[in-house]
Amino acid sequence: MQTNDPTSSQLPAVSPDQSGQRLDRFMAESLGSDLSRSRLKALIQEGHVTLGGATITDPSRKIKPGEIYSLALPATEEAVPQAQDIPLHVVFEDAHLIVIDKPAGLVVHPAPGNHDNTLVNALLHHCGDSLAGIGGVKRPGIVHRIDKDTSGLLVAAKTDAAHHGLADLFARHDIDREYLALVNGQPNPARGSIAGAIGRDPQDRKRMAIRANGKPAVTHYTTERVLRDINGYPFASLLRCRLETGRTHQIRVHLASIGHGLLGDPVYGRARPARSAKLTEPAKAALAQFKRQALHAAVLGFKHPITGAMLRFESPLPADFETLLAALS
């Protein structure tokens, strides 16, 4: 359903020094950061650009001095997911993007089995008319996700240009992302890197696995604290993990691959934590009550795709994670 009238704009006449440029490049430079070049290319191909009343559909057309192009921006379509009033912890927001501290239990994007009550539904309600639209649809631009039961920081775009810029940053791995993880045992060495290509597990399509034909993935980790049981055995460790890449379930798969799966992880962790009988009763109770993988997206840093400002955000451990850590210490 379309909700707004199309917006027409006339671009400035092509100057002699711009002669020979591609049409999509010329339009991108003329319009600034309002629309990404990829979005403009699509608009040209869809017939929304005219020259002297004639429709132009070739983004690579070489422009000539004196030509005056017009763009009829189509109405933004309403997003298929419905806006829902779900409380959000907004860390940062401007006209281009929004950074959220996501609680554990909140799914990021609608999918089979989770058609509503997701972060996208919440963002549609929170952002409202400030969503300029991604690809012609009034929706937030999700460029990365964190698992439903992982807490922490996530950025979403509100405009086409910001979406394009953020996607480029993630593609170049030019994003600072750090996670805090509680794992079984004590990694040796205490600091290291895990490199292993990740792809779908051929035995279970819902799981990921280290596979020779998977996508390259690298996780760097540092041990921040070792947690010992009543006999002094290193029962668990708090790690700080820095992502060099961002594959699905990357930290969970990589840490499990070196024998130190996340506490509480129902997919890649151990069914029973190591030597749990040697824990204090409060520690056992805290583990029993912790119903998710112990993983928190604690740091998110990047260069603002529109303003160029360097942004860095930190999220403290949520209450359930803090309670578990305290009980095991």
CSV table of all heavy atoms in Angstrom, one decimal, residues 2 21 86 99 107 131 134-135 166 186 199 249 252 268 305 310 318:
chain,number,residue,atom,x,y,z
A,2,GLN,N,0.6,2.2,-0.8
A,2,GLN,CA,1.3,3.4,-0.9
A,2,GLN,C,0.6,4.5,-0.1
A,2,GLN,O,-0.6,4.6,-0.1
A,2,GLN,CB,1.5,3.9,-2.4
A,2,GLN,CG,2.3,2.8,-3.2
A,2,GLN,CD,2.7,3.3,-4.5
A,2,GLN,OE1,2.0,4.2,-5.1
A,2,GLN,NE2,3.7,2.8,-5.1
A,21,GLN,N,29.9,11.7,-17.8
A,21,GLN,CA,29.7,10.9,-16.6
A,21,GLN,C,28.5,9.9,-16.8
A,21,GLN,O,27.6,10.2,-17.6
A,21,GLN,CB,29.4,11.8,-15.4
A,21,GLN,CG,30.6,12.4,-14.8
A,21,GLN,CD,30.2,13.1,-13.5
A,21,GLN,OE1,29.1,12.9,-12.9
A,21,GLN,NE2,31.0,14.0,-13.0
A,86,ILE,N,6.7,-1.8,21.3
A,86,ILE,CA,7.6,-2.7,22.1
A,86,ILE,C,8.7,-1.8,22.7
A,86,ILE,O,9.4,-1.1,22.0
A,86,ILE,CB,8.2,-3.8,21.3
A,86,ILE,CG1,7.1,-4.7,20.7
A,86,ILE,CG2,9.1,-4.7,22.2
A,86,ILE,CD1,7.6,-5.7,19.7
A,99,VAL,N,20.9,3.1,17.2
A,99,VAL,CA,21.6,2.0,17.9
A,99,VAL,C,20.8,1.6,19.1
A,99,VAL,O,20.4,2.4,19.9
A,99,VAL,CB,23.0,2.5,18.4
A,99,VAL,CG1,23.7,1.4,19.1
A,99,VAL,CG2,23.9,3.0,17.2
A,107,VAL,N,13.7,-11.3,19.2
A,107,VAL,CA,14.2,-11.7,17.8
A,107,VAL,C,14.4,-10.4,17.0
A,107,VAL,O,13.6,-9.4,17.2
A,107,VAL,CB,13.1,-12.6,17.1
A,107,VAL,CG1,13.5,-12.9,15.7
A,107,VAL,CG2,13.0,-13.9,17.9
A,131,LEU,N,11.5,7.1,9.3
A,131,LEU,CA,12.1,6.1,8.4
A,131,LEU,C,11.9,6.6,7.0
A,131,LEU,O,10.8,6.7,6.5
A,131,LEU,CB,11.4,4.8,8.6
A,131,LEU,CG,11.7,4.0,9.8
A,131,LEU,CD1,10.9,2.7,9.9
A,131,LEU,CD2,13.2,3.6,9.8
A,134,ILE,N,14.0,2.1,2.9
A,134,ILE,CA,15.1,1.3,2.4
A,134,ILE,C,14.6,0.6,1.2
A,134,ILE,O,13.7,-0.2,1.2
A,134,ILE,CB,15.6,0.3,3.4
A,134,ILE,CG1,15.9,1.0,4.8
A,134,ILE,CG2,16.9,-0.4,2.9
A,134,ILE,CD1,16.9,2.0,4.8
A,135,GLY,N,15.2,1.0,0.0
A,135,GLY,CA,14.8,0.4,-1.2
A,135,GLY,C,13.3,0.6,-1.6
A,135,GLY,O,12.7,-0.2,-2.2
A,166,LEU,N,26.5,1.6,5.9
A,166,LEU,CA,26.7,0.6,6.9
A,166,LEU,C,27.0,-0.8,6.3
A,166,LEU,O,27.9,-1.5,6.8
A,166,LEU,CB,25.5,0.5,7.8
A,166,LEU,CG,25.2,1.7,8.8
A,166,LEU,CD1,23.9,1.5,9.5
A,166,LEU,CD2,26.4,1.7,9.9
A,186,GLN,N,38.9,-23.3,31.0
A,186,GLN,CA,39.9,-22.2,30.9
A,186,GLN,C,40.7,-22.4,29.7
A,186,GLN,O,41.5,-23.3,29.5
A,186,GLN,CB,40.8,-22.2,32.2
A,186,GLN,CG,41.9,-21.2,32.1
A,186,GLN,CD,42.8,-21.3,33.3
A,186,GLN,OE1,42.8,-22.2,34.1
A,186,GLN,NE2,43.7,-20.3,33.5
A,199,GLY,N,30.0,-22.6,7.9
A,199,GLY,CA,28.9,-22.9,6.9
A,199,GLY,C,27.8,-23.7,7.6
A,199,GLY,O,27.9,-24.1,8.8
A,249,HIS,N,26.3,-17.2,14.2
A,249,HIS,CA,26.7,-18.1,15.3
A,249,HIS,C,28.2,-18.2,15.4
A,249,HIS,O,28.7,-19.1,16.0
A,249,HIS,CB,26.1,-19.5,15.2
A,249,HIS,CG,24.6,-19.5,15.2
A,249,HIS,ND1,23.9,-20.7,15.1
A,249,HIS,CD2,23.7,-18.5,15.4
A,249,HIS,CE1,22.6,-20.4,15.2
A,249,HIS,NE2,22.5,-19.1,15.3
A,252,ARG,N,29.8,-18.6,19.0
A,252,ARG,CA,29.3,-19.9,19.6
A,252,ARG,C,30.0,-21.1,18.9
A,252,ARG,O,30.5,-22.0,19.6
A,252,ARG,CB,27.8,-20.0,19.4
A,252,ARG,CG,27.1,-18.9,20.2
A,252,ARG,CD,25.6,-18.7,19.7
A,252,ARG,NE,24.9,-19.9,20.1
A,252,ARG,CZ,23.6,-20.1,19.8
A,252,ARG,NH1,23.0,-19.2,19.0
A,252,ARG,NH2,23.0,-21.2,20.2
A,268,TYR,N,25.3,-25.4,21.0
A,268,TYR,CA,26.7,-25.7,20.8
A,268,TYR,C,27.4,-26.0,22.1
A,268,TYR,O,28.6,-26.5,22.1
A,268,TYR,CB,27.4,-24.6,20.1
A,268,TYR,CG,26.8,-24.2,18.8
A,268,TYR,CD1,26.0,-23.1,18.7
A,268,TYR,CD2,27.0,-25.0,17.6
A,268,TYR,CE1,25.4,-22.7,17.4
A,268,TYR,CE2,26.5,-24.6,16.4
A,268,TYR,CZ,25.7,-23.5,16.3
A,268,TYR,OH,25.1,-23.2,15.1
A,305,PRO,N,28.2,6.5,8.6
A,305,PRO,CA,28.3,6.5,7.1
A,305,PRO,C,27.9,7.8,6.4
A,305,PRO,O,28.3,8.0,5.3
A,305,PRO,CB,27.3,5.4,6.8
A,305,PRO,CG,26.4,5.4,7.9
A,305,PRO,CD,27.2,5.7,9.2
A,310,MET,N,33.3,9.5,14.3
A,310,MET,CA,33.6,8.2,14.9
A,310,MET,C,32.7,7.9,16.1
A,310,MET,O,32.6,8.7,17.0
A,310,MET,CB,35.1,8.1,15.3
A,310,MET,CG,36.0,8.2,14.1
A,310,MET,SD,35.8,6.9,12.8
A,310,MET,CE,36.1,5.4,13.8
A,318,PRO,N,23.8,-7.2,31.2
A,318,PRO,CA,22.4,-7.2,31.7
A,318,PRO,C,22.4,-7.9,33.1
A,318,PRO,O,23.3,-8.6,33.5
A,318,PRO,CB,21.7,-7.9,30.6
A,318,PRO,CG,22.6,-8.7,30.0
A,318,PRO,CD,24.0,-8.0,30.0
